[in-house]
Amino acid sequence: MSSKPVLSVKNVAVAYKIRGGEIEAVQDVSFDIPRGGSQGIVGESGCGKSTISWAIVNFLGSNGYVKRGSIKFQGQEMIGKDGEELRRLRGDQIAMVFQDPMQALNPSMTLGGQMKEVLTVHRNLSDKEAETRCIEMLERVYMPDAVNVMKRYPHQISGGQQQRVVIATALLTNPALLIMDEPTTALDVTVEATVLDLIADLRREFDTAIMYISHNLGVVARVCDHVGVMYAGEMVERGTVAEIYKNPTHPYTQGLIRCVPKLGADKASSVLYPIRGRVPPPNNRPVGCIFGPRCDYRQTKCEQERPPLRHLSHGQSVRCHFAEEIDWFAWEPTADVLPPQVSQKTDQAPILQIDGLQKYYTAQGGSLRDMLGLSEPRYVKALEQASFSVPKGSTLGIVGESGCGKSTLIKTIIGLEGSTSGEAQFLGMDITTHLSERDESTIKELQMVFQNPDSTMNPSYTVGQQIGRPMERFKTVPKDQVRAEVVKLLQAVRLGETYIDRLPRQLSGGEKQRVGIARALASSPDLVLCDEPVSALDVSVQAAVLNLLLELQAENNTTMLFIAHDLSVVRFFSDYVAVMYLGQIMELGPAEAIYAPPYHPYTEALLSAVPIPDPFAQQKRIRLEGNVPSAISPPSGCRFHTRCPRRQHLPNNGQICETENPPWQQIAKEHHILCHISKETLVEFEPVIRT
């Protein structure tokens, strides 16, 4: 890597004009990114990570501006450049990938038209040359059916596919600087791994400088050389990834690392410690050290003096008065962040029994024969022969790529979809019917926490009204006691009575999710279905929500089904795990068995793709080739055979996988794998991760 930085940010402060004055959102941030280097920026929401990226490309809006400092790109000062100069740089030498792809996609243009425009404007390519290059780049980010995707509009593809289009567009011109703001949040773990590999290839082939913003410490450990930790608009620690992950110096950095579950850790042997409090708003930062109110080591000096950014002997820079005196290995939790008491799982009778459950959707064709009903009906085989049972008081984690049937399974159990065939019993009652056909007692005992609380909360009703509604509907408490019970639930989810009259717009994302949990628990259900309940949360809020769910489960002996794309979270939270692929369960068993050899080849590939927040861990590299096949015409035999990296372990290169359905093999008690490869061969596979 060249010593001359591609991007140099020096003592930058970003301010926003407001009525009666201004607010400094970012203060005194400095870092350099050399050619071929990668700088990670981590921190909670509201810390100023995205604001710095917007300042670099002058996306601060009409009331935002760089108040002081310098931002140089390849030696050119960016502050003060006019619109035309910036337009020549943006999209060509500087590219940016936003967290929300719809911020970057024009809903009125085809995806191909938007992508080709980058090459025709900045590279003067012909339309045909630009189209060929765009298709090639879409295929590099594993976009299925890239040729036809070029003809579609943004609303006609999924959120994960939209993000792949944005990433491919950013890479078209081989930019000198690539700014990525949470680019893989919406992607499956396998697609995320290929995108991160693509970023590594870009650095290696074109010496591209990368600025990578993320709250996922595992992703930063995989793709970055250096990392800067931001808190409340300030860079509180900076250094190499290896040094900061091995020996975090600032109390905030230490707190972030303690919030993250390690892959392989479970709730019985490990603990997550959320950071108390929240990030202060820019207009209400404390005097002295801005992290002081949340710090376990604060002293009088911290309350009175703002610490400068100091350079330590081992290469790190830290903004803390007492960094050299803090031994993070000797840290002990205070009473307000003590973990929940996790109940020991006992052998209890199953509360939920699923046997051969199927869900098919009729595929709507676009031809005239289809519209007239003259052609043979086709079906999307979203869920196929799902069978399992869940003991009362335990948690079943469900993992797999998008389109594997996780959400369909949950929707069928909750009653948002009726099943096509098979049996499903909850507390001895048949739940294969649609929600409208279920009796009230079944609905009361079966509740759900949705991924996006905004989409399930009425913006016109207060928090108290929304939590109290199930109590009134199911008459779980007398009407005159509803408010008191709502207050108890709010206190249980660590919100308190002051939230009872607030509207959803007055809550943060983490607070909305806690309200969603409280509402799901309002009817005192026996089974709670959790669909990605922590995927959009900061690591500290995620730790607090997971601890809350564990505590409530222990107190009420609640049974849970837990969907998440983060396999570390699933391992930590779950007693049992089901691995799904293309509508089928491929592996099922106790969590500790799923995460250790022998694995199903698909499980092995998923574990290989997980970003680990440990730059020293040795992780086997397994990448699945191709895309998930269509659920309308799934492959014959084993559905995974078209992508399986282990077929060579069978005679004739696994021809049996193409023609015969694999058998269920019992590996150990309660642990089963759906695969033709023998148990003896599977046992010989090495562990995916060595720490």
Side-chain angles (χ1 to χ4, degrees), residues 31 33 37-43 49 53 97 167 177-185 187 192 195-196 199 203 209-228 611:
F31 60 88
I33 309 179
S38 181
Q39 172 77 44
I41 307 290
V42 300
K49 306 185 301 295
S53 66
V97 178
I167 292 170
L177 174 64
L178 179 60
I179 302 172
M180 311 193 83
D181 189 355
E182 299 275 14
T184 58
T185 299
L187 304 183
E192 177 182 61
V195 169
L196 297 181
I199 294 170
R203 289 180 59 195
I210 309 288
M211 178 179 168
Y212 199 101
I213 297 170
S214 180
H215 69 265
N216 189 324
L217 299 178
V219 170
V220 171
R222 178 178 288 185
V223 302
C224 297
D225 305 314
H226 292 76
V227 61

mmCIF file of all heavy atoms in Angstrom, residues 31 33 37-43 49 53 97 167 177-185 187 192 195-196 199 203 209-228 611:
data_model
loop_
_atom_site.group_PDB
_atom_site.id
_atom_site.type_symbol
_atom_site.label_atom_id
_atom_site.label_comp_id
_atom_site.label_asym_id
_atom_site.label_seq_id
_atom_site.Cartn_x
_atom_site.Cartn_y
_atom_site.Cartn_z
ATOM 1 N N PHE A 31 -8.701 10.753 10.455
ATOM 2 C CA PHE A 31 -8.173 9.450 10.053
ATOM 3 C C PHE A 31 -7.689 9.553 8.613
ATOM 4 O O PHE A 31 -8.102 10.446 7.868
ATOM 5 C CB PHE A 31 -9.213 8.329 10.188
ATOM 6 C CG PHE A 31 -10.456 8.526 9.368
ATOM 7 C CD1 PHE A 31 -10.536 8.086 8.054
ATOM 8 C CD2 PHE A 31 -11.565 9.153 9.918
ATOM 9 C CE1 PHE A 31 -11.676 8.264 7.294
ATOM 10 C CE2 PHE A 31 -12.719 9.348 9.162
ATOM 11 C CZ PHE A 31 -12.772 8.897 7.855
ATOM 12 N N ILE A 33 -6.838 7.079 5.002
ATOM 13 C CA ILE A 33 -6.969 5.780 4.341
ATOM 14 C C ILE A 33 -5.992 5.758 3.172
ATOM 15 O O ILE A 33 -6.149 6.520 2.212
ATOM 16 C CB ILE A 33 -8.396 5.528 3.830
ATOM 17 C CG1 ILE A 33 -9.435 5.769 4.928
ATOM 18 C CG2 ILE A 33 -8.520 4.093 3.313
ATOM 19 C CD1 ILE A 33 -10.865 5.570 4.473
ATOM 20 N N GLY A 37 -5.990 0.506 1.328
ATOM 21 C CA GLY A 37 -6.281 0.334 2.750
ATOM 22 C C GLY A 37 -7.772 0.294 3.016
ATOM 23 O O GLY A 37 -8.602 0.646 2.171
ATOM 24 N N SER A 38 -8.133 -0.133 4.219
ATOM 25 C CA SER A 38 -9.538 -0.232 4.589
ATOM 26 C C SER A 38 -9.717 0.263 6.017
ATOM 27 O O SER A 38 -9.100 -0.254 6.940
ATOM 28 C CB SER A 38 -10.023 -1.684 4.469
ATOM 29 O OG SER A 38 -11.385 -1.784 4.798
ATOM 30 N N GLN A 39 -10.550 1.265 6.185
ATOM 31 C CA GLN A 39 -10.809 1.881 7.479
ATOM 32 C C GLN A 39 -12.237 1.577 7.905
ATOM 33 O O GLN A 39 -13.193 1.930 7.224
ATOM 34 C CB GLN A 39 -10.622 3.400 7.406
ATOM 35 C CG GLN A 39 -11.049 4.167 8.646
ATOM 36 C CD GLN A 39 -10.042 4.053 9.784
ATOM 37 O OE1 GLN A 39 -8.837 4.160 9.570
ATOM 38 N NE2 GLN A 39 -10.541 3.822 10.985
ATOM 39 N N GLY A 40 -12.382 0.889 9.024
ATOM 40 C CA GLY A 40 -13.699 0.627 9.576
ATOM 41 C C GLY A 40 -14.100 1.734 10.533
ATOM 42 O O GLY A 40 -13.264 2.278 11.249
ATOM 43 N N ILE A 41 -15.392 2.065 10.546
ATOM 44 C CA ILE A 41 -15.957 3.027 11.487
ATOM 45 C C ILE A 41 -17.104 2.321 12.208
ATOM 46 O O ILE A 41 -18.067 1.883 11.569
ATOM 47 C CB ILE A 41 -16.492 4.295 10.790
ATOM 48 C CG1 ILE A 41 -15.415 4.922 9.888
ATOM 49 C CG2 ILE A 41 -16.994 5.295 11.818
ATOM 50 C CD1 ILE A 41 -14.266 5.556 10.624
ATOM 51 N N VAL A 42 -16.992 2.185 13.539
ATOM 52 C CA VAL A 42 -18.011 1.469 14.303
ATOM 53 C C VAL A 42 -18.563 2.369 15.400
ATOM 54 O O VAL A 42 -17.935 3.352 15.792
ATOM 55 C CB VAL A 42 -17.461 0.162 14.911
ATOM 56 C CG1 VAL A 42 -16.966 -0.776 13.831
ATOM 57 C CG2 VAL A 42 -16.350 0.455 15.914
ATOM 58 N N GLY A 43 -19.718 2.003 15.912
ATOM 59 C CA GLY A 43 -20.367 2.752 16.973
ATOM 60 C C GLY A 43 -21.868 2.582 16.882
ATOM 61 O O GLY A 43 -22.398 2.073 15.894
ATOM 62 N N LYS A 49 -21.383 8.267 12.492
ATOM 63 C CA LYS A 49 -20.676 7.485 11.475
ATOM 64 C C LYS A 49 -21.105 7.909 10.063
ATOM 65 O O LYS A 49 -20.266 8.221 9.217
ATOM 66 C CB LYS A 49 -20.939 5.981 11.679
ATOM 67 C CG LYS A 49 -20.632 5.448 13.052
ATOM 68 C CD LYS A 49 -20.790 3.946 13.145
ATOM 69 C CE LYS A 49 -22.165 3.442 12.798
ATOM 70 N NZ LYS A 49 -23.215 3.894 13.748
ATOM 71 N N SER A 53 -19.395 10.217 6.517
ATOM 72 C CA SER A 53 -19.392 9.779 5.111
ATOM 73 C C SER A 53 -20.110 10.791 4.230
ATOM 74 O O SER A 53 -19.682 11.066 3.112
ATOM 75 C CB SER A 53 -20.036 8.393 4.990
ATOM 76 O OG SER A 53 -21.414 8.433 5.318
ATOM 77 N N VAL A 97 -22.081 3.314 -1.142
ATOM 78 C CA VAL A 97 -23.165 2.336 -1.009
ATOM 79 C C VAL A 97 -23.908 2.654 0.281
ATOM 80 O O VAL A 97 -23.330 2.589 1.363
ATOM 81 C CB VAL A 97 -22.632 0.892 -0.971
ATOM 82 C CG1 VAL A 97 -23.777 -0.093 -0.787
ATOM 83 C CG2 VAL A 97 -21.851 0.575 -2.237
ATOM 84 N N ILE A 167 -24.492 -2.141 -4.869
ATOM 85 C CA ILE A 167 -23.076 -2.495 -4.718
ATOM 86 C C ILE A 167 -22.425 -2.684 -6.082
ATOM 87 O O ILE A 167 -21.312 -2.199 -6.336
ATOM 88 C CB ILE A 167 -22.937 -3.771 -3.852
ATOM 89 C CG1 ILE A 167 -23.358 -3.470 -2.408
ATOM 90 C CG2 ILE A 167 -21.503 -4.293 -3.877
ATOM 91 C CD1 ILE A 167 -23.479 -4.705 -1.539
ATOM 92 N N LEU A 177 -11.919 5.436 -4.183
ATOM 93 C CA LEU A 177 -12.436 5.410 -2.808
ATOM 94 C C LEU A 177 -13.850 4.864 -2.834
ATOM 95 O O LEU A 177 -14.704 5.365 -3.571
ATOM 96 C CB LEU A 177 -12.429 6.817 -2.199
ATOM 97 C CG LEU A 177 -13.090 6.952 -0.818
ATOM 98 C CD1 LEU A 177 -12.339 6.143 0.226
ATOM 99 C CD2 LEU A 177 -13.181 8.419 -0.396
ATOM 100 N N LEU A 178 -14.093 3.842 -2.044
ATOM 101 C CA LEU A 178 -15.415 3.238 -1.933
ATOM 102 C C LEU A 178 -15.895 3.395 -0.491
ATOM 103 O O LEU A 178 -15.275 2.882 0.441
ATOM 104 C CB LEU A 178 -15.361 1.757 -2.316
ATOM 105 C CG LEU A 178 -16.670 0.964 -2.241
ATOM 106 C CD1 LEU A 178 -17.706 1.565 -3.178
ATOM 107 C CD2 LEU A 178 -16.434 -0.502 -2.592
ATOM 108 N N ILE A 179 -16.975 4.141 -0.314
ATOM 109 C CA ILE A 179 -17.562 4.352 1.012
ATOM 110 C C ILE A 179 -18.776 3.438 1.132
ATOM 111 O O ILE A 179 -19.694 3.496 0.304
ATOM 112 C CB ILE A 179 -17.981 5.826 1.194
ATOM 113 C CG1 ILE A 179 -16.778 6.744 0.998
ATOM 114 C CG2 ILE A 179 -18.592 6.039 2.573
ATOM 115 C CD1 ILE A 179 -17.139 8.225 0.979
ATOM 116 N N MET A 180 -18.789 2.600 2.161
ATOM 117 C CA MET A 180 -19.864 1.624 2.328
ATOM 118 C C MET A 180 -20.499 1.824 3.702
ATOM 119 O O MET A 180 -19.847 1.673 4.732
ATOM 120 C CB MET A 180 -19.327 0.203 2.174
ATOM 121 C CG MET A 180 -18.476 -0.002 0.935
ATOM 122 S SD MET A 180 -18.158 -1.725 0.537
ATOM 123 C CE MET A 180 -19.635 -2.170 -0.342
ATOM 124 N N ASP A 181 -21.784 2.178 3.693
ATOM 125 C CA ASP A 181 -22.514 2.450 4.930
ATOM 126 C C ASP A 181 -23.473 1.297 5.204
ATOM 127 O O ASP A 181 -24.555 1.221 4.629
ATOM 128 C CB ASP A 181 -23.280 3.771 4.786
ATOM 129 C CG ASP A 181 -23.897 4.229 6.111
ATOM 130 O OD1 ASP A 181 -23.805 3.485 7.098
ATOM 131 O OD2 ASP A 181 -24.461 5.332 6.149
ATOM 132 N N GLU A 182 -23.071 0.385 6.085
ATOM 133 C CA GLU A 182 -23.874 -0.802 6.427
ATOM 134 C C GLU A 182 -24.372 -1.515 5.162
ATOM 135 O O GLU A 182 -25.568 -1.769 5.006
ATOM 136 C CB GLU A 182 -25.076 -0.404 7.288
ATOM 137 C CG GLU A 182 -24.718 0.231 8.620
ATOM 138 C CD GLU A 182 -24.443 -0.774 9.716
ATOM 139 O OE1 GLU A 182 -24.258 -1.970 9.399
ATOM 140 O OE2 GLU A 182 -24.394 -0.366 10.879
ATOM 141 N N PRO A 183 -23.482 -1.884 4.226
ATOM 142 C CA PRO A 183 -23.949 -2.372 2.923
ATOM 143 C C PRO A 183 -24.509 -3.787 2.944
ATOM 144 O O PRO A 183 -25.191 -4.176 1.999
ATOM 145 C CB PRO A 183 -22.678 -2.316 2.067
ATOM 146 C CG PRO A 183 -21.568 -2.539 3.047
ATOM 147 C CD PRO A 183 -22.017 -1.857 4.309
ATOM 148 N N THR A 184 -24.216 -4.575 3.974
ATOM 149 C CA THR A 184 -24.628 -5.984 3.957
ATOM 150 C C THR A 184 -25.695 -6.299 4.992
ATOM 151 O O THR A 184 -26.002 -7.461 5.232
ATOM 152 C CB THR A 184 -23.411 -6.903 4.194
ATOM 153 O OG1 THR A 184 -22.799 -6.570 5.458
ATOM 154 C CG2 THR A 184 -22.382 -6.730 3.098
ATOM 155 N N THR A 185 -26.295 -5.265 5.598
ATOM 156 C CA THR A 185 -27.290 -5.496 6.648
ATOM 157 C C THR A 185 -28.465 -6.318 6.134
ATOM 158 O O THR A 185 -28.983 -7.174 6.849
ATOM 159 C CB THR A 185 -27.806 -4.147 7.201
ATOM 160 O OG1 THR A 185 -26.702 -3.430 7.753
ATOM 161 C CG2 THR A 185 -28.847 -4.363 8.283
ATOM 162 N N LEU A 187 -28.526 -8.483 3.658
ATOM 163 C CA LEU A 187 -28.129 -9.646 2.865
ATOM 164 C C LEU A 187 -28.032 -10.908 3.715
ATOM 165 O O LEU A 187 -27.738 -10.855 4.909
ATOM 166 C CB LEU A 187 -26.774 -9.385 2.197
ATOM 167 C CG LEU A 187 -26.677 -8.143 1.310
ATOM 168 C CD1 LEU A 187 -25.299 -8.071 0.669
ATOM 169 C CD2 LEU A 187 -27.763 -8.151 0.233
ATOM 170 N N GLU A 192 -23.562 -12.106 1.921
ATOM 171 C CA GLU A 192 -22.682 -11.165 2.608
ATOM 172 C C GLU A 192 -21.228 -11.602 2.475
ATOM 173 O O GLU A 192 -20.340 -10.786 2.208
ATOM 174 C CB GLU A 192 -23.068 -11.072 4.081
ATOM 175 C CG GLU A 192 -22.160 -10.161 4.900
ATOM 176 C CD GLU A 192 -22.545 -10.145 6.367
ATOM 177 O OE1 GLU A 192 -22.495 -11.218 7.005
ATOM 178 O OE2 GLU A 192 -22.874 -9.076 6.884
ATOM 179 N N VAL A 195 -19.967 -10.833 -1.001
ATOM 180 C CA VAL A 195 -19.770 -9.390 -1.183
ATOM 181 C C VAL A 195 -18.493 -8.937 -0.481
ATOM 182 O O VAL A 195 -17.708 -8.142 -1.021
ATOM 183 C CB VAL A 195 -20.991 -8.607 -0.668
ATOM 184 C CG1 VAL A 195 -20.689 -7.113 -0.609
ATOM 185 C CG2 VAL A 195 -22.200 -8.854 -1.560
ATOM 186 N N LEU A 196 -18.257 -9.438 0.724
ATOM 187 C CA LEU A 196 -17.028 -9.082 1.445
ATOM 188 C C LEU A 196 -15.796 -9.621 0.706
ATOM 189 O O LEU A 196 -14.751 -8.956 0.677
ATOM 190 C CB LEU A 196 -17.082 -9.630 2.871
ATOM 191 C CG LEU A 196 -18.200 -9.067 3.758
ATOM 192 C CD1 LEU A 196 -18.126 -9.667 5.163
ATOM 193 C CD2 LEU A 196 -18.154 -7.552 3.818
ATOM 194 N N ILE A 199 -15.187 -7.211 -2.088
ATOM 195 C CA ILE A 199 -14.510 -6.009 -1.595
ATOM 196 C C ILE A 199 -13.019 -6.267 -1.444
ATOM 197 O O ILE A 199 -12.175 -5.438 -1.819
ATOM 198 C CB ILE A 199 -15.134 -5.564 -0.261
ATOM 199 C CG1 ILE A 199 -16.582 -5.115 -0.470
ATOM 200 C CG2 ILE A 199 -14.323 -4.433 0.369
ATOM 201 C CD1 ILE A 199 -17.340 -4.883 0.816
ATOM 202 N N ARG A 203 -9.885 -4.369 -3.490
ATOM 203 C CA ARG A 203 -8.696 -3.775 -2.857
ATOM 204 C C ARG A 203 -7.419 -4.334 -3.470
ATOM 205 O O ARG A 203 -6.471 -3.616 -3.760
ATOM 206 C CB ARG A 203 -8.700 -4.061 -1.355
ATOM 207 C CG ARG A 203 -9.729 -3.309 -0.555
ATOM 208 C CD ARG A 203 -9.629 -3.695 0.907
ATOM 209 N NE ARG A 203 -8.308 -3.403 1.446
ATOM 210 C CZ ARG A 203 -7.848 -3.878 2.596
ATOM 211 N NH1 ARG A 203 -8.590 -4.665 3.327
ATOM 212 N NH2 ARG A 203 -6.652 -3.564 3.015
ATOM 213 N N ALA A 209 -9.261 2.226 -1.991
ATOM 214 C CA ALA A 209 -9.351 2.539 -0.565
ATOM 215 C C ALA A 209 -10.806 2.356 -0.123
ATOM 216 O O ALA A 209 -11.730 2.776 -0.820
ATOM 217 C CB ALA A 209 -8.892 3.973 -0.309
ATOM 218 N N ILE A 210 -10.999 1.720 1.024
ATOM 219 C CA ILE A 210 -12.335 1.390 1.506
ATOM 220 C C ILE A 210 -12.595 2.097 2.833
ATOM 221 O O ILE A 210 -11.781 2.029 3.755
ATOM 222 C CB ILE A 210 -12.509 -0.128 1.714
ATOM 223 C CG1 ILE A 210 -12.072 -0.927 0.483
ATOM 224 C CG2 ILE A 210 -13.942 -0.450 2.120
ATOM 225 C CD1 ILE A 210 -12.986 -0.831 -0.687
ATOM 226 N N MET A 211 -13.732 2.761 2.935
ATOM 227 C CA MET A 211 -14.241 3.259 4.214
ATOM 228 C C MET A 211 -15.510 2.471 4.510
ATOM 229 O O MET A 211 -16.495 2.567 3.778
ATOM 230 C CB MET A 211 -14.541 4.753 4.143
ATOM 231 C CG MET A 211 -15.118 5.328 5.424
ATOM 232 S SD MET A 211 -15.434 7.111 5.268
ATOM 233 C CE MET A 211 -16.425 7.405 6.730
ATOM 234 N N TYR A 212 -15.480 1.677 5.574
ATOM 235 C CA TYR A 212 -16.555 0.719 5.832
ATOM 236 C C TYR A 212 -17.225 1.051 7.166
ATOM 237 O O TYR A 212 -16.610 0.952 8.228
ATOM 238 C CB TYR A 212 -16.008 -0.711 5.862
ATOM 239 C CG TYR A 212 -17.061 -1.766 5.679
ATOM 240 C CD1 TYR A 212 -17.235 -2.387 4.455
ATOM 241 C CD2 TYR A 212 -17.908 -2.132 6.722
ATOM 242 C CE1 TYR A 212 -18.217 -3.351 4.273
ATOM 243 C CE2 TYR A 212 -18.890 -3.086 6.551
ATOM 244 C CZ TYR A 212 -19.038 -3.689 5.318
ATOM 245 O OH TYR A 212 -20.028 -4.636 5.134
ATOM 246 N N ILE A 213 -18.488 1.465 7.102
ATOM 247 C CA ILE A 213 -19.260 1.815 8.297
ATOM 248 C C ILE A 213 -20.152 0.639 8.670
ATOM 249 O O ILE A 213 -20.867 0.099 7.824
ATOM 250 C CB ILE A 213 -20.128 3.057 8.027
ATOM 251 C CG1 ILE A 213 -19.245 4.261 7.718
ATOM 252 C CG2 ILE A 213 -21.043 3.353 9.215
ATOM 253 C CD1 ILE A 213 -20.009 5.460 7.207
ATOM 254 N N SER A 214 -20.100 0.226 9.927
ATOM 255 C CA SER A 214 -20.900 -0.925 10.336
ATOM 256 C C SER A 214 -21.037 -0.970 11.849
ATOM 257 O O SER A 214 -20.178 -0.481 12.579
ATOM 258 C CB SER A 214 -20.258 -2.229 9.840
ATOM 259 O OG SER A 214 -21.031 -3.344 10.224
ATOM 260 N N HIS A 215 -22.156 -1.575 12.315
ATOM 261 C CA HIS A 215 -22.256 -1.897 13.734
ATOM 262 C C HIS A 215 -21.903 -3.361 13.971
ATOM 263 O O HIS A 215 -21.866 -3.813 15.118
ATOM 264 C CB HIS A 215 -23.668 -1.602 14.266
ATOM 265 C CG HIS A 215 -24.729 -2.521 13.734
ATOM 266 N ND1 HIS A 215 -25.505 -2.216 12.644
ATOM 267 C CD2 HIS A 215 -25.137 -3.745 14.135
ATOM 268 C CE1 HIS A 215 -26.343 -3.210 12.408
ATOM 269 N NE2 HIS A 215 -26.139 -4.151 13.291
ATOM 270 N N ASN A 216 -21.612 -4.093 12.888
ATOM 271 C CA ASN A 216 -21.248 -5.503 12.983
ATOM 272 C C ASN A 216 -19.737 -5.625 13.147
ATOM 273 O O ASN A 216 -18.971 -5.450 12.188
ATOM 274 C CB ASN A 216 -21.723 -6.251 11.731
ATOM 275 C CG ASN A 216 -21.569 -7.759 11.859
ATOM 276 O OD1 ASN A 216 -20.613 -8.246 12.463
ATOM 277 N ND2 ASN A 216 -22.495 -8.490 11.294
ATOM 278 N N LEU A 217 -19.288 -5.919 14.352
ATOM 279 C CA LEU A 217 -17.857 -5.989 14.617
ATOM 280 C C LEU A 217 -17.198 -7.151 13.882
ATOM 281 O O LEU A 217 -16.003 -7.109 13.589
ATOM 282 C CB LEU A 217 -17.617 -6.121 16.125
ATOM 283 C CG LEU A 217 -18.144 -4.952 16.987
ATOM 284 C CD1 LEU A 217 -17.889 -5.229 18.456
ATOM 285 C CD2 LEU A 217 -17.506 -3.650 16.574
ATOM 286 N N GLY A 218 -17.969 -8.197 13.575
ATOM 287 C CA GLY A 218 -17.411 -9.316 12.829
ATOM 288 C C GLY A 218 -17.061 -8.937 11.407
ATOM 289 O O GLY A 218 -16.020 -9.337 10.880
ATOM 290 N N VAL A 219 -17.918 -8.153 10.755
ATOM 291 C CA VAL A 219 -17.652 -7.694 9.391
ATOM 292 C C VAL A 219 -16.414 -6.820 9.360
ATOM 293 O O VAL A 219 -15.544 -6.956 8.494
ATOM 294 C CB VAL A 219 -18.873 -6.938 8.827
ATOM 295 C CG1 VAL A 219 -18.521 -6.252 7.522
ATOM 296 C CG2 VAL A 219 -20.040 -7.889 8.620
ATOM 297 N N VAL A 220 -16.299 -5.897 10.318
ATOM 298 C CA VAL A 220 -15.140 -5.007 10.373
ATOM 299 C C VAL A 220 -13.862 -5.809 10.579
ATOM 300 O O VAL A 220 -12.818 -5.531 9.965
ATOM 301 C CB VAL A 220 -15.320 -3.955 11.491
ATOM 302 C CG1 VAL A 220 -14.047 -3.158 11.703
ATOM 303 C CG2 VAL A 220 -16.468 -3.019 11.142
ATOM 304 N N ALA A 221 -13.913 -6.830 11.425
ATOM 305 C CA ALA A 221 -12.734 -7.666 11.652
ATOM 306 C C ALA A 221 -12.307 -8.382 10.380
ATOM 307 O O ALA A 221 -11.117 -8.632 10.169
ATOM 308 C CB ALA A 221 -13.020 -8.687 12.762
ATOM 309 N N ARG A 222 -13.273 -8.700 9.493
ATOM 310 C CA ARG A 222 -12.953 -9.438 8.276
ATOM 311 C C ARG A 222 -12.382 -8.553 7.185
ATOM 312 O O ARG A 222 -11.465 -8.959 6.469
ATOM 313 C CB ARG A 222 -14.197 -10.167 7.760
ATOM 314 C CG ARG A 222 -13.954 -10.913 6.455
ATOM 315 C CD ARG A 222 -15.172 -11.684 5.978
ATOM 316 N NE ARG A 222 -15.422 -12.859 6.807
ATOM 317 C CZ ARG A 222 -16.383 -13.759 6.549
ATOM 318 N NH1 ARG A 222 -17.171 -13.588 5.506
ATOM 319 N NH2 ARG A 222 -16.551 -14.787 7.333
ATOM 320 N N VAL A 223 -12.894 -7.322 7.035
ATOM 321 C CA VAL A 223 -12.555 -6.540 5.834
ATOM 322 C C VAL A 223 -11.617 -5.366 6.089
ATOM 323 O O VAL A 223 -11.116 -4.778 5.131
ATOM 324 C CB VAL A 223 -13.829 -6.012 5.139
ATOM 325 C CG1 VAL A 223 -14.749 -7.143 4.755
ATOM 326 C CG2 VAL A 223 -14.552 -5.003 6.012
ATOM 327 N N CYS A 224 -11.370 -4.999 7.347
ATOM 328 C CA CYS A 224 -10.645 -3.757 7.610
ATOM 329 C C CYS A 224 -9.255 -3.984 8.202
ATOM 330 O O CYS A 224 -9.030 -4.944 8.933
ATOM 331 C CB CYS A 224 -11.456 -2.857 8.549
ATOM 332 S SG CYS A 224 -13.036 -2.341 7.847
ATOM 333 N N ASP A 225 -8.335 -3.046 7.894
ATOM 334 C CA ASP A 225 -7.003 -3.026 8.501
ATOM 335 C C ASP A 225 -7.011 -2.197 9.779
ATOM 336 O O ASP A 225 -6.392 -2.559 10.769
ATOM 337 C CB ASP A 225 -5.983 -2.397 7.534
ATOM 338 C CG ASP A 225 -5.969 -3.075 6.185
ATOM 339 O OD1 ASP A 225 -5.960 -4.310 6.163
ATOM 340 O OD2 ASP A 225 -5.983 -2.369 5.156
ATOM 341 N N HIS A 226 -7.701 -1.054 9.711
ATOM 342 C CA HIS A 226 -7.773 -0.136 10.845
ATOM 343 C C HIS A 226 -9.237 0.101 11.196
ATOM 344 O O HIS A 226 -10.130 -0.071 10.362
ATOM 345 C CB HIS A 226 -7.096 1.202 10.517
ATOM 346 C CG HIS A 226 -5.614 1.100 10.350
ATOM 347 N ND1 HIS A 226 -5.030 0.579 9.214
ATOM 348 C CD2 HIS A 226 -4.587 1.446 11.184
ATOM 349 C CE1 HIS A 226 -3.702 0.609 9.342
ATOM 350 N NE2 HIS A 226 -3.418 1.130 10.523
ATOM 351 N N VAL A 227 -9.463 0.508 12.419
ATOM 352 C CA VAL A 227 -10.825 0.771 12.864
ATOM 353 C C VAL A 227 -10.835 2.014 13.736
ATOM 354 O O VAL A 227 -9.916 2.238 14.537
ATOM 355 C CB VAL A 227 -11.423 -0.449 13.607
ATOM 356 C CG1 VAL A 227 -10.633 -0.789 14.851
ATOM 357 C CG2 VAL A 227 -12.888 -0.209 13.952
ATOM 358 N N GLY A 228 -11.864 2.833 13.549
ATOM 359 C CA GLY A 228 -12.106 3.981 14.404
ATOM 360 C C GLY A 228 -13.430 3.791 15.119
ATOM 361 O O GLY A 228 -14.433 3.451 14.495
ATOM 362 N N PRO A 611 -19.329 -13.710 9.720
ATOM 363 C CA PRO A 611 -18.239 -12.814 10.131
ATOM 364 C C PRO A 611 -18.007 -12.940 11.640
ATOM 365 O O PRO A 611 -18.942 -12.793 12.426
ATOM 366 C CB PRO A 611 -18.763 -11.415 9.766
ATOM 367 C CG PRO A 611 -19.952 -11.634 8.900
ATOM 368 C CD PRO A 611 -20.512 -12.954 9.279
#
